[in-house]
Amino acid sequence: MVHTPMIAPSILSADFARLADELAAVPTSDWIHVDVMDNHFVPNLTLGLPVVKSLLKVTDIPIDCHLMIEDPDRWAIEYAEAGAYNVTVHVEAAQDPIKLAKNLKAAGAKAGLSIKPGTPLEPYVDVLKHYDTLLVMSVEPGFGGQKFMVDVLEKVRQARRLVDTGHLKLLVEIDGGINAETIEQAAQAGVDCFVAGSAVYDAAEPGKAVEALRAQAAGAR
């Protein structure tokens, strides 16, 4: 387990007209989580590679790209080549997830694999041996501000056991409904990195919200 809990503010909840300022408002964040949606894999359209390239120019915080898109085998590599630190694809969309992981790493990024709330972990354990990050979705992907699904924490516990016993070597990340009410149970289940959107950017002081969430997660372990 990562020694200090990681917090990755999601800019899906930020002010899109002021993204550079919104990144500057959370200077102690571990990652900046960027949700790329194509209105095909999920019923929402957000932003793409040009915006990610612009973000990379204005922050030193590692960019964590979560690609909720069709055909990530074709498109994901460009995000790695642009300089994203971690590029996460959905197992439900990837045609050849093992080859894709290798290509992402060859392009200079960490490789992440995400699973929807209804997708079981077991069939993908061998695939995950090729990945650096497992992103467990705790809401249905597509929109921010949804209610946290407690049931997915069993998948987090499974993943944590596999990492702790050496079967997998990856970071366990969670995305969806993480806030002051839910982060402790996620931390207790074994999450390393917590994506938080409205819990950070709806706060009066987003930077302090990041610190408070990290402290809360650390205290719950």
Side-chain angles (χ1 to χ4, degrees):
M1 181 177 281
V2 173
H3 186 63
T4 303
M6 296 171 61
I7 305 296
S10 170
I11 63 165
L12 189 62
S13 298
D15 181 348
F16 275 26
R18 300 173 49 254
L19 284 180
D21 294 335
E22 295 283 59
L23 267 58
V26 289
T28 63
S29 303
D30 297 280
W31 291 353
I32 295 292
H33 190 81
V34 180
D35 289 309
V36 176
M37 306 184 196
D38 65 355
N39 202 29
H40 293 286
F41 180 68
V42 291
N44 195 6
L45 187 65
T46 54
L47 48 81
L49 187 62
V51 175
V52 170
K53 287 180 176 177
S54 295
L55 295 175
L56 286 161
K57 293 175 183 174
V58 298
T59 185
D60 293 327
I61 302 171
I63 298 291
D64 175 32
C65 284
H66 178 194
L67 305 185
M68 289 172 261
I69 62 172
E70 286 185 350
D71 202 6
D73 303 70
R74 177 182 176 187
W75 301 109
I77 307 306
E78 292 186 50
Y79 290 85
E81 291 172 343
Y85 178 78
N86 186 73
V87 178
T88 294
V89 299
H90 268 267
V91 72
E92 303 90 355
Q95 295 165 21
D96 189 342
I98 293 175
K99 180 181 177 184
L100 183 48
K102 291 176 180 177
N103 288 341
L104 285 169
K105 292 181 185 184
K110 301 285 188 183
L113 195 68
S114 184
I115 53 176
K116 291 182 178 182
T119 301
L121 184 68
E122 292 89 344
Y124 305 109
V125 171
D126 285 341
V127 171
L128 281 165
K129 290 176 180 175
H130 300 271
Y131 279 84
D132 304 295
T133 310
L134 166 65
L135 176 58
V136 177
M137 291 299 298
S138 42
V139 298
E140 288 296 335
F143 294 93
Q146 296 182 66
K147 185 174 169 57
F148 181 77
M149 295 179 174
V150 179
D151 294 354
V152 306
L153 291 181
E154 185 50 43
K155 281 189 281 191
V156 171
R157 294 184 193 100
Q158 286 178 300
R160 183 79 262 149
R161 285 193 293 270
L162 289 166
V163 173
D164 289 346
T165 55
H167 286 83
L168 293 177
K169 293 180 181 178
L170 47 73
L171 185 130
V172 181
E173 186 176 12
I174 196 163
D175 181 7
I178 292 296
N179 54 38
E181 284 70 52
T182 59
I183 194 166
E184 291 182 14
Q185 51 192 321
Q188 289 163 358
V191 172
D192 298 304
C193 182
F194 305 82
V195 176
S198 50
V200 171
Y201 281 115
D202 286 357
E205 296 185 61
K208 287 187 177 178
V210 168
E211 298 284 353
L213 287 168
R214 186 184 289 116
Q216 211 179 343
R221 283 181 171 175

